[in-house]
Amino acid sequence: MLFQECFKAGIKNVFITETYRSQERQKYLYAQGRTRPGNIVTWTLESNHKSRLAWDIAVGPPQSLYDVTTLNRVGEIARKLGITWGGVWLAKIDRPHFEVKLTWIMPKGYKLEGQIIIPTTSKFPVQLIVEGDTTKPMAKDDDKMLFTNETTKAAVRDYIKQSVDKKKIDKSWLDKFDQGTMTSGDFEGLKIIISQR
């Protein structure tokens, strides 16, 4: 929900840097800047990352990795959704950190509007894929799917067609591929959708 609302607000260059964290990793990070070289990155041995209720994000280019303006915008969206944001903590501000309680539910007036692709690298943008939506803008030349040979192109088309035939995805995706408007990011997201169905 957070990433969908970011997408709708035009914030597409954010990505997840960490979600679940084992106790061993928490101890490792806690040692940084204390018994291990580097800057201190955490102030606790008891993190909500261990309970799978927290996640950290970063910002992709052209902004800096922890661009305060972008993180503040995401933080405001999170607060509207009832998500705890580390940017408002008084003692130890942690703008990239977000968490929920076990009792968190989606606030009234919100709904998931499609498949959300949440990147784990700055290489891809956040995406909202609404099946049957063919109004997406044309791919930029540097993001269009390029194939070095016809065999590979035919195999990808066949993969998409089989998924349409099995009703895992809408036929509009095959049309998009045939029209040459499918981007590599679209295809990466599509693979995730297909694998989850």
Side-chain angles (χ1 to χ4, degrees):
M1 178 56 66
L2 176 62
F3 283 84
Q4 171 183 285
E5 295 305 303
C6 285
F7 177 90
K8 289 166 60 179
I11 307 168
K12 301 175 188 174
N13 64 330
V14 289
F15 59 98
I16 292 276
T17 57
E18 190 154 24
T19 54
Y20 169 70
R21 189 183 292 162
S22 68
Q23 183 61 49
E24 293 73 27
R25 175 149 173 79
Q26 188 67 35
K27 287 179 183 175
Y28 176 81
L29 291 174
Y30 186 79
Q32 185 171 317
R34 293 177 177 90
T35 58
R36 233 175 18 86
N39 296 326
I40 289 178
V41 292
T42 185
W43 46 84
T44 182
L45 287 168
E46 297 302 319
S47 168
N48 276 333
H49 284 280
K50 295 187 320 177
S51 59
R52 302 177 193 272
L53 296 173
W55 62 97
D56 294 331
I57 70 168
V59 182
Q63 282 82 17
S64 63
L65 194 59
Y66 296 110
D67 178 66
V68 172
T69 301
T70 302
L71 292 175
N72 285 346
R73 288 181 66 204
V74 176
E76 285 306 310
I77 293 169
R79 293 175 73 193
K80 289 177 186 173
L81 297 171
I83 296 169
T84 301
W85 174 46
V88 296
W89 292 342
L90 298 177
K92 298 186 164 105
I93 293 175
D94 189 356
R95 285 186 184 87
H97 181 89
F98 298 83
E99 63 184 53
V100 292
K101 296 187 180 342
L102 276 172
T103 55
W104 184 87
I105 57 170
M106 191 179 308
K108 287 185 178 177
Y110 290 95
K111 67 175 186 170
L112 290 175
E113 300 174 16
Q115 180 73 31
I116 313 304
I117 306 302
I118 304 171
T120 56
T121 171
S122 63
K123 187 175 180 182
F124 300 105
V126 174
Q127 296 178 62
L128 171 60
I129 299 171
V130 180
E131 290 198 19
D133 181 4
T134 58
T135 61
K136 290 186 180 177
M138 299 285 281
K140 295 183 291 184
D141 287 339
D142 61 350
D143 195 29
K144 285 184 181 177
M145 292 183 70
L146 301 174
F147 297 95
T148 55
N149 63 60
E150 287 302 312
T151 304
T152 305
K153 184 176 181 179
V156 170
R157 187 186 189 284
D158 187 53
Y159 172 74
I160 295 170
K161 183 173 184 329
Q162 286 179 27
S163 299
V164 169
D165 292 345
K166 292 176 183 175
K167 302 197 183 313
K168 291 186 173 189
I169 56 172
D170 189 83
K171 184 182 179 296
S172 63
W173 287 109
L174 185 60
D175 296 339
K176 195 173 181 82
F177 181 86
D178 289 342
Q179 293 163 3
T181 59
M182 181 176 283
T183 67
S184 54
D186 286 337
F187 184 60
E188 288 303 312
L190 202 54
K191 289 192 295 187
I192 294 169
I193 293 170
I194 292 166
S195 71
Q196 291 176 346
R197 294 186 174 169

